[in-house]
Amino acid sequence: MVYLQRRSKGVQHLLLSLLLLVAWEAGSGQVHYSVPEEAKHGTFVGRIAQDLGLELAELVPRLFRVASKERGDLLEVNLQNGILFVNSRIDREELCGRRAECSIHLEVIVERPLQVFHVEVEVKDINDNPPRFFRQEQRLFILESRIADSRFPLEGASDMDIGANAELRYKLNSNEYFHLDVKTNEEETNFLELVLKKPVDREETQEHHLLLIAVDGGKPELTGTVQLLINVLDANDNAPEFDKSIYNVRLLENVPNGTLVIKLNASDADEGINKEIVYLFSSLVLDNVKSKFTINSDSGEITVKGELDYEDCNLYEINIDAVDKSTFPLTGHCKVIVKLLDENDNTPEMVITSLSLPIQEDAPLGSVIALISLSDLDSGANGQVTCTLSPHVPFKLVSTFKNYYSMVLDSALDRETLQNYELVLTARDQGSPSLSTTASMSVEVADVNDNAPTFAQPEYMVFVKENNPPGCHIFTVSAQDLDAQENALVSYSLVERRVGERALSSYVSVHADSGKVYALQPLDHEELELLQFQVSARDAGVPSLGSNVTLQVFVLDENDNAPALLPPGVGGVGGTVSELVSRSVGAGQVVAKVRAVDADSGYNAWLSYELQPTAGGARSPFRVGLYTGEVSTTRALDDADAPRQRLLVLVKDHGEPPLAATATVLLSLVDSGLAPKASRATSGSVSAEAALVDVNVYLIIAICAVSSLLVLTLLLYTALRCSATPTESACAPGKPTLVCSSAVGSWSYSQERRQRVCSGEGPPKTDLMAFSPSLPQGPSTADNPRQPNPDWRYSASLRAGMHSSVHLEEAGILRAGPGGPDQQWPTVSSATPEPEAGEVSPPVGAGVNSNSWTFKYGPGNPKQAGPSELPDKFIIPGSPAIISIRQEPTNSQIDKSDFITFGKKEETKKKKKKKKGNKTQEKKEKGNSTTDNSDQ
């Protein structure tokens, strides 16, 4: 009864423990199973679906599956009954090795909803591995001289199982000489020793065969065996001996492999095999020595095996063992010391340390630029190094210490000449043969502000039309600075000064960066013809450097001033001229004069006069000179003419567009008896001009004399030239001679140009008159003729700044006849003279700012004279003379008075008048004409 109660209590405790275990497993989410290794396929492991609380019907819909980190094919689940079973062979030793615990971890995954369960299956070990020895036979060599209780270690067995299945015990077959001693160390592994019971005798038994058995603790027990073969050896009591204990050898480095270092020789007093010796490296020899040398075990020769480098190691100590070939060998020892000799096999090494790069171009001489250190791994003379620098550079090397140099500045630098030096440094040792190394070094020269900005020209001429818009760009100055960076950054400014009463900056300004010069206000040619100033260019260096350039701004004239009428006398009113005219004056008599000036220059100041037609359309008995403004009669006056004549004269310049002014001329016709009285009223103004008559008379006489000499000289010279060189010119007898103007301002033939002109087809020219102004005495060539003297002027009516020029251009070609040589004929570019007035316009080409008559040779004039044509007339600036070149038949009567006219029509000299015989009246007319033209 008591037994039953106790048993029921034990059962209750067991059930309670199981319930607690199940509850713990459910709480932890893990299920544990166990299965023995090597179980067959289909072996039941557990009802996994039931243990996880899953219904069998929901395994497939919820996608029940099992995953394993290890091999996934070892275990499987039957989805029909929810049983976990063995699917393939399970080998615990393969799966876990010798680990004490071996488990397979499974992850059970179901979805809808997603749940993950962890299942652990423990693999139980079974005794399926017998003990194994690594060798099937163990051989032992024991000298016959060994004493009893000598111990010899044996190699034990191993078992792949664990626990009791791996606990081994050993047994040795019975014999009289040996027994087995098994010891367990701290790691609970067995240590086997074979113990000699009594000494063995080689002469009695040379070999002993024993069987060692290992038995594990499993059930059933498994065993493993190994054969023990014990050889009894003869005793060897003499060790080999060397001649010396230490051998010293000297050897050059870099010797080839196979080079003999030394041959060792040892001897043994034993006999037989105990006398035979083997040479070996001692166990004390390091691996690096073994990699450099090798030894012949039979001959004892030590040879080179690897590369020997003195710089890596210059001394090798080699311990050699001489071992006899006895069963129990004895060993002799010696040491071989190999000392390497250096060779020059290392090039010098160079290290450059830059101190001050880039170097300033104004650095003082002796400035240290770089430090150079040299080294050579060789020794002695092979390691002594010197350094040199490439020649022709402004640097030098200074030795500061052994194998240390300083590179210093030896001469002045100029960055603008060379801004970078490529240096080559050479380090050379003293070995034989010598070795060297080179290094390149770039030394950059830094810029200093030692160059001022420079302009291409010291002076520029700028031409600007007047009335320019304010702020217009008129010129751009540009300066170059040879420096770099900010030292070459140029800024421009005006050199301020006073222009009259105003500052220069009120006229022009210059952009500081671009150098563009702007006119700040409209310029007026009449107020300021030339504006000269300086522009300064300065760089941004420290200190700043600069230079100046001069700009001469010429203000070109525009036609912005209308002609201004001058009063006829003191106290007169401009724009109205009143004169008394006698009814007895003849045709062509000057009765009044309109005076006007124009503040412009050139063509803009060249004035022309036109008589406006009367209101009734009646023909007026008066006309006005186109360029003189002189009012003269066209016919003799009669009583039918109105006593008061009112003439409107239009004064117009030649600008574009032309500007004009109108003058009123009031003429009162009186009888001849009243004319002198009326003339006395104006005699005051005429007397002021009479003083110039004498001067013009002398001038006319001088011109005629010089002209005559020139014509004679040129005719003679042309005749001589034509007769001297008939092949060059076809000048036939009877041909008219041509007179060429001199380029030096005289009436002589131009020797500089040496231009020969021969007559061509057509009627001969019987009279020719040319005039050239005096020229400055300067050098002249055939291609660059001297320029005329610019000191020529118009009369007072054109004196308001008008400057003109005449261009003589070699545009016409004069032919001597069919097949004759062509000659360049200087033509005159001029406007066609008015047919009635008999006067020519100022020459074409009169331009602004030109105050001289310029004779220019060239093909630029579009209006050229034909082969048989000559210019009709030349106007002489500053003089009333008009030089006429006429073509008349040889036998025709030449009127010499038509040669040079002085503001009068040629018809007036040919007209037939009753007053022509009156000498007093003729002198008076001639005096008036001369006086009026002298004003011109």
Side-chain angles (χ1 to χ4, degrees):
M1 193 63 147
V2 175
Y3 174 77
L4 292 175
Q5 290 177 354
R6 291 180 178 176
R7 186 174 182 179
S8 62
K9 291 182 179 179
V11 171
Q12 291 176 358
H13 287 294
L14 181 58
L15 292 175
L16 181 59
S17 299
L18 291 174
L19 291 174
L20 292 175
L21 179 61
V22 171
W24 178 81
E25 289 180 351
S28 62
Q30 288 188 353
V31 177
H32 294 269
Y33 299 106
S34 64
V35 62
E37 66 173 332
E38 303 295 341
K40 296 181 180 181
H41 174 72
T43 301
F44 173 82
V45 178
R47 299 183 182 277
I48 188 170
Q50 180 180 351
D51 295 338
L52 294 177
L54 300 175
E55 297 294 336
L56 296 178
E58 63 181 359
L59 295 183
V60 175
R62 295 189 64 181
L63 302 177
F64 181 92
R65 59 189 180 273
V66 177
S68 173
K69 296 181 180 178
E70 292 83 10
R71 291 176 53 185
D73 59 344
L74 298 179
L75 302 172
E76 274 298 337
V77 176
N78 189 340
L79 299 180
Q80 302 298 326
N81 52 21
I83 294 176
L84 180 66
F85 62 91
V86 176
N87 185 46
S88 61
R89 176 178 173 272
I90 301 176
D91 186 359
R92 184 186 184 284
E93 288 72 31
E94 180 184 353
L95 189 62
C96 299
R98 296 184 61 84
R99 290 202 298 254
E101 297 180 357
C102 184
S103 301
I104 300 175
H105 298 276
L106 304 177
E107 288 186 355
V108 179
I109 303 173
V110 292
E111 297 183 3
R112 303 172 187 172
L114 178 64
Q115 287 182 294
V116 179
F117 302 95
H118 296 276
V119 178
E120 184 177 17
V121 179
E122 181 182 1
V123 180
K124 298 292 185 179
D125 182 42
I126 63 174
N127 191 21
D128 57 343
N129 291 285
R132 295 180 183 276
F133 290 93
F134 290 104
R135 296 182 180 90
Q136 295 180 357
E137 181 183 83
Q138 295 187 26
R139 183 180 294 271
L140 299 178
F141 297 91
I142 300 176
L143 287 173
E144 60 180 342
S145 61
R146 298 297 296 266
I147 62 175
D149 292 332
S150 295
R151 294 175 176 269
F152 305 95
L154 297 177
E155 183 181 1
S158 61
D159 196 318
M160 295 298 296
D161 295 326
I162 62 171
N165 296 329
E167 293 178 359
L168 302 180
R169 67 180 186 278
Y170 297 92
K171 295 185 296 183
L172 185 64
N173 63 329
S174 61
N175 63 86
E176 60 178 320
Y177 292 101
F178 301 95
H179 72 275
L180 187 65
D181 185 15
V182 180
K183 296 180 180 179
T184 303
N185 57 16
E186 297 178 356
E187 297 179 358
E188 297 183 356
T189 59
N190 295 327
F191 181 69
L192 304 181
E193 288 183 333
L194 185 65
V195 182
L196 183 61
K197 294 180 182 179
K198 62 178 182 177
V200 294
D201 187 2
R202 182 180 178 279
E203 290 71 24
E204 179 181 352
T205 305
Q206 294 184 357
E207 291 183 352
H208 297 270
H209 296 274
L210 303 177
L211 182 63
L212 180 61
I213 302 172
V215 183
D216 62 19
K219 292 185 180 182
E221 293 180 348
L222 300 178
T223 61
T225 60
V226 64
Q227 292 288 333
L228 298 180
L229 179 60
I230 301 173
N231 294 327
V232 180
L233 303 177
D234 185 26
N236 183 22
D237 53 354
N238 292 290
E241 293 183 358
F242 289 94
D243 299 337
K244 298 179 181 179
S245 60
I246 298 177
Y247 295 88
N248 292 303
V249 180
R250 294 180 179 271
L251 188 67
L252 288 175
E253 65 172 334
N254 301 323
V255 294
N257 291 341
T259 301
L260 177 64
V261 179
I262 191 173
K263 182 177 181 181
L264 299 175
N265 185 23
S267 61
D268 195 321
D270 292 330
E271 296 294 335
I273 195 172
N274 294 331
K275 190 176 182 178
E276 295 178 6
I277 300 174
V278 176
Y279 299 92
L280 303 171
F281 285 127
S282 171
S283 59
L284 301 176
V285 177
L286 302 177
D287 292 339
N288 67 326
V289 177
K290 292 181 180 180
S291 65
K292 304 293 184 182
F293 302 95
T294 183
I295 188 170
N296 190 322
S297 60
D298 296 329
S299 63
E301 292 181 350
I302 300 177
T303 56
V304 176
K305 175 183 177 183
E307 182 182 358
L308 300 180
D309 191 355
Y310 177 88
E311 289 71 35
D312 291 341
C313 182
N314 58 8
L315 184 67
Y316 294 93
E317 294 184 358
I318 308 174
N319 293 300
I320 304 299
D321 290 345
V323 183
D324 58 25
K325 295 184 179 181
S326 63
T327 305
F328 186 74
L330 297 179
T331 304
H333 308 281
C334 77
K335 177 180 291 187
V336 177
I337 300 176
V338 180
K339 185 176 182 180
L340 298 182
L341 301 180
D342 183 42
E343 285 189 337
N344 192 23
D345 59 342
N346 291 279
T347 57
E349 295 181 357
M350 184 186 313
V351 178
I352 301 175
T353 304
S354 299
L355 294 181
S356 56
L357 289 180
I359 183 172
Q360 299 288 334
E361 61 177 323
D362 60 346
L365 300 183
S367 299
V368 178
I369 300 171
L371 297 179
I372 303 163
S373 62
L374 308 176
S375 62
D376 196 317
L377 296 178
D378 295 324
S379 59
N382 298 331
Q384 296 178 2
V385 186
T386 59
C387 187
T388 57
L389 182 63
S390 55
H392 310 299
V393 292
F395 309 100
K396 67 178 180 179
L397 295 177
V398 177
S399 178
T400 57
F401 193 65
K402 180 181 179 181
N403 292 341
Y404 286 90
Y405 291 85
S406 296
M407 186 170 69
V408 299
L409 183 62
D410 188 40
S411 60
L413 300 175
D414 185 8
R415 191 202 67 85
E416 289 69 35
T417 302
L418 187 61
Q419 60 183 359
N420 192 64
Y421 291 90
E422 297 294 337
L423 308 180
V424 178
L425 298 167
T426 303
R428 186 178 301 274
D429 59 24
Q430 303 300 319
S432 180
S434 177
L435 299 179
S436 64
T437 184
T438 60
S440 298
M441 180 179 180
S442 179
V443 177
E444 181 182 357
V445 181
D447 182 54
V448 296
N449 193 24
D450 57 347
N451 289 279
T454 57
F455 293 91
Q457 300 176 205
E459 184 176 276
Y460 292 94
M461 297 177 64
V462 183
F463 297 92
V464 181
K465 291 184 178 181
E466 66 174 332
N467 302 322
N468 57 283
C472 72
H473 172 231
I474 62 174
F475 194 68
T476 300
V477 294
S478 178
Q480 301 294 328
D481 196 314
L482 297 178
D483 294 324
Q485 296 178 354
E486 66 273 1
N487 295 332
L489 186 62
V490 180
S491 61
Y492 304 90
S493 62
L494 285 176
V495 178
E496 189 60 65
R497 70 179 186 87
R498 303 292 296 180
V499 179
E501 297 181 355
R502 300 173 59 181
L504 174 64
S505 57
S506 64
Y507 287 95
V508 291
S509 68
V510 61
H511 193 274
D513 297 329
S514 63
K516 292 184 177 181
V517 180
Y518 298 94
L520 299 181
Q521 65 180 12
L523 300 177
D524 190 355
H525 173 81
E526 290 74 32
E527 176 186 347
L528 185 66
E529 293 188 9
L530 173 63
L531 178 61
Q532 181 172 330
F533 59 92
Q534 288 186 330
V535 176
S536 174
R538 304 196 68 84
D539 56 31
V542 178
S544 177
L545 301 178
S547 62
N548 296 342
V549 66
T550 300
L551 266 67
Q552 292 188 2
V553 179
F554 291 89
V555 182
L556 305 182
D557 183 53
E558 292 282 323
N559 191 24
D560 58 345
N561 290 281
L565 300 174
L566 300 178
V570 180
V573 178
T576 302
V577 178
S578 299
E579 294 289 346
L580 296 179
V581 180
S582 174
R583 290 182 179 272
S584 62
V585 296
Q589 181 68 36
V590 176
V591 296
K593 187 171 185 178
V594 178
R595 301 177 184 273
V597 295
D598 196 314
D600 295 323
S601 300
Y603 272 103
N604 299 328
W606 181 24
L607 302 181
S608 62
Y609 302 85
E610 297 179 7
L611 185 62
Q612 297 294 319
T614 58
R619 182 176 179 86
S620 174
F622 301 96
R623 67 176 180 181
V624 64
L626 180 61
Y627 301 110
T628 61
E630 295 176 346
V631 179
S632 60
T633 59
T634 60
R635 58 179 174 80
L637 301 177
D638 51 27
D639 297 336
D641 294 325
R644 293 185 61 83
Q645 298 284 337
R646 185 175 183 273
L647 305 180
L648 295 179
V649 178
L650 180 66
V651 183
K652 182 172 61 175
D653 58 26
H654 286 72
E656 289 294 337
L659 302 178
T662 303
T664 302
V665 179
L666 300 178
L667 300 178
S668 299
L669 303 183
V670 297
D671 294 334
S672 57
L674 300 177
K677 297 180 181 180
S679 299
R680 294 189 192 99
T682 59
S683 60
S685 60
V686 175
S687 61
E689 299 175 356
L692 298 176
V693 174
D694 296 336
V695 177
N696 289 333
V697 171
Y698 291 122
L699 177 61
I700 293 172
I701 296 173
I703 290 175
C704 292
V706 174
S707 299
S708 301
L709 292 176
L710 176 62
V711 170
L712 293 176
T713 303
L714 292 181
L715 290 176
L716 179 61
Y717 183 80
T718 303
L720 293 176
R721 293 287 292 179
C722 292
S723 62
T725 56
T727 60
E728 297 179 1
S729 174
C731 297
K735 295 285 184 175
T737 59
L738 299 179
V739 181
C740 302
S741 174
S742 172
V744 297
S746 67
W747 290 97
S748 63
Y749 184 80
S750 173
Q751 297 298 326
E752 282 80 358
R753 296 194 56 83
R754 299 184 180 273
Q755 181 170 345
R756 299 173 57 252
V757 183
C758 298
S759 63
E761 300 295 335
K765 303 168 179 58
T766 57
D767 60 297
L768 168 65
M769 191 170 188
F771 184 84
S772 297
S774 61
L775 300 177
Q777 299 300 323
S780 173
T781 61
D783 296 331
N784 187 18
R786 297 176 181 173
Q787 298 297 323
N789 192 331
D791 192 15
W792 293 48
R793 294 292 184 267
Y794 278 101
S795 64
S797 62
L798 299 177
R799 201 171 294 164
M802 177 176 180
H803 308 291
S804 305
S805 62
V806 172
H807 301 276
L808 293 179
E809 303 187 6
E810 293 178 355
I813 296 179
L814 182 63
R815 298 184 181 272
D822 295 341
Q823 300 292 338
Q824 298 292 332
W825 178 254
T827 62
V828 179
S829 300
S830 62
T832 304
E834 183 181 359
E836 294 183 358
E839 300 167 347
V840 299
S841 64
V844 175
V848 180
N849 197 34
S850 176
N851 56 2
S852 66
W853 290 68
T854 302
F855 294 83
K856 183 179 71 174
Y857 291 87
N861 187 10
K863 184 176 181 181
Q864 303 174 357
S868 60
E869 295 179 359
L870 289 176
D872 294 331
K873 298 177 183 180
F874 291 92
I875 184 172
I876 302 177
S879 170
I882 298 176
I883 301 176
S884 301
I885 301 175
R886 302 179 55 196
Q887 302 180 16
E888 298 290 345
T890 307
N891 299 325
S892 63
Q893 184 68 25
I894 301 174
D895 187 0
K896 298 301 182 179
S897 62
D898 291 347
F899 216 139
I900 301 177
T901 62
F902 298 90
K904 300 185 295 181
K905 292 176 55 179
E906 295 182 2
E907 290 82 352
T908 58
K909 294 186 177 182
K910 297 178 182 179
K911 66 182 179 177
K912 190 175 182 180
K913 295 292 182 178
K914 293 186 295 181
K915 298 180 181 180
K916 188 174 182 180
N918 192 347
K919 295 182 180 180
T920 305
Q921 183 66 24
E922 184 179 358
K923 290 181 180 180
K924 182 177 181 180
E925 292 175 0
K926 188 175 182 180
N928 293 336
S929 175
T930 303
T931 304
D932 294 339
N933 284 293
S934 65
D935 293 337
Q936 182 178 355

